[in-house]
Amino acid sequence: MARRLRDTLSAPARPVLRYWNDLPMRVQGRITIGLPLVAVLISAGLALTGNLQRVDIETDIQRKFEMTGSLGELTTLMVDAETGMRGYQLTGRTEYLEPFTDASAELPTVLGRLETLATAEPGEKPRTDKLARIAELRDLTAKQMTDLARQRDVVAAGGDTDGEIRQDLAYGKNLMDGIRSRVDQRRTGERELLDDRIEEINQIRLRDYLSVGIALAVAVLTRFLAWFLHRNGILRRVDRLADTVRVIREGGTVPEPPPVKRDRMGELEREVHLLEPAAPARRDDAVDGRV
């Protein structure tokens, strides 16, 4: 039963082994040595692919962190500028203008950084959407800063702002509400994209663990296959040649020569089968201790 099962399992491999046995020994050696390298190449390829993907994702994660921070910085600058201008309107003291002056100087840098980050966004549609949102923010901040500058000029010229302050507050509030709303939308979107990227990192890490296991399994299988082919190809020929030489030396019947193969081992096999068997040793009883 066990022999029948073994024959059934080995039947599909017989054509392959027949083809393998027909190969020259030099080719067999190269294949035997090269098979274990398959696992190394597979492992290296998977590791390189995973590392390149992680680099891209980590770069995108860093970009999203910077985008979220810059959006928060934009909101802070606008709030400080508006608060300082209200203080200047109420008191007329120029030190309250410092937040507005600082915001006027820093806003172009912050907006430029946001546009640069949006331009580096992978994918045409996400990049276009982000640039459009930032353009809206640029327009709203420009309107707000222009109105605050107008209020500053009115106070500096000695104008009476008591009657206009309510109108200024309502107009500024509408602009700030629009700025806050768009900033919150963008920050929420960036956080969602960040969560997606972190999930991708976790999936790549899981895939790397799986690839290590697969590479290890392939290494074991290819090593076993290399040993099997080496035993059935090279070692079997060497054993057969050694048995033939022993039979010839002992004067026995020389077995049938193996199939002709065009390699150095085949030449040696042919030369060995051309040797004459040694004559069997004869015992001379007369000479054996009777003389």
Side-chain angles (χ1 to χ4, degrees), residues 9-270:
L9 294 177
S10 61
R14 289 173 185 170
V16 178
L17 290 177
R18 192 178 301 115
Y19 174 77
W20 170 257
N21 291 329
D22 291 339
L23 292 176
M25 181 177 291
R26 188 182 301 275
V27 177
Q28 290 177 340
R30 291 173 180 173
I31 295 176
T32 303
I33 294 174
L35 274 176
L37 296 178
V38 174
V40 177
L41 294 176
I42 291 176
S43 179
L46 292 174
L48 180 60
T49 302
N51 286 333
L52 291 177
Q53 290 179 341
R54 277 196 298 271
V55 168
D56 292 339
I57 294 175
E58 289 170 358
T59 301
D60 194 39
I61 288 175
Q62 181 63 33
R63 185 164 49 246
K64 286 172 173 41
F65 274 122
E66 294 179 7
M67 178 73 76
T68 302
S70 297
L71 289 169
E73 186 177 355
L74 175 67
T75 304
T76 300
L77 289 174
M78 295 306 299
V79 170
D80 290 346
E82 186 184 34
T83 303
M85 188 56 64
R86 297 295 168 254
Y88 181 60
Q89 281 182 315
L90 294 173
T91 64
R93 298 172 60 179
T94 56
E95 58 264 27
Y96 284 99
L97 288 176
E98 290 182 4
F100 172 79
T101 303
D102 294 340
S104 298
E106 296 178 19
L107 273 174
T109 301
V110 175
L111 290 169
R113 188 186 312 136
L114 288 172
E115 289 181 348
T116 300
L117 293 171
T119 302
E121 183 72 18
E124 183 176 356
K125 188 177 185 305
R127 181 168 58 249
T128 303
D129 291 343
K130 284 189 176 184
L131 288 173
R133 302 292 182 103
I134 293 172
E136 292 179 359
L137 282 174
R138 180 181 287 276
D139 183 62
L140 288 173
T141 55
K143 290 180 179 179
Q144 178 73 317
M145 295 302 290
T146 299
D147 186 66
L148 292 177
R150 180 191 61 80
Q151 297 172 31
R152 177 199 60 193
D153 295 340
V154 170
V155 175
D160 184 9
T161 60
D162 291 341
E164 299 179 359
I165 192 169
R166 290 181 180 274
Q167 182 178 354
D168 292 338
L169 286 172
Y171 182 76
K173 182 179 183 303
N174 289 334
L175 289 175
M176 281 303 302
D177 287 344
I179 293 172
R180 287 193 183 95
S181 175
R182 285 164 176 78
V183 167
D184 290 341
Q185 290 175 1
R186 289 313 316 144
R187 295 181 74 176
T188 301
E190 292 299 320
R191 281 194 292 268
E192 291 175 353
L193 292 174
L194 183 61
D195 292 339
D196 293 341
R197 286 306 202 178
I198 292 175
E199 180 63 24
E200 289 181 22
I201 285 285
N202 293 332
Q203 291 178 359
I204 291 176
R205 184 179 295 110
L206 180 62
R207 189 191 66 188
D208 287 346
Y209 292 149
L210 181 61
S211 66
V212 169
I214 293 175
L216 180 60
V218 171
V220 173
L221 290 175
T222 54
R223 187 65 189 90
F224 174 78
L225 180 60
W227 169 81
F228 178 78
L229 294 176
H230 180 71
R231 182 176 65 85
N232 285 273
I234 299 175
L235 295 183
R236 179 169 294 182
R237 293 181 67 187
V238 173
D239 292 340
R240 185 171 56 205
L241 182 61
D243 292 340
T244 301
V245 171
R246 184 173 61 254
V247 169
I248 293 175
R249 186 183 60 199
E250 294 175 355
T253 303
V254 179
E256 291 295 326
V260 177
K261 297 182 66 173
R262 296 180 179 179
D263 57 12
R264 299 304 297 273
M265 179 66 77
E267 294 177 5
L268 181 60
E269 290 170 341
R270 288 191 295 272

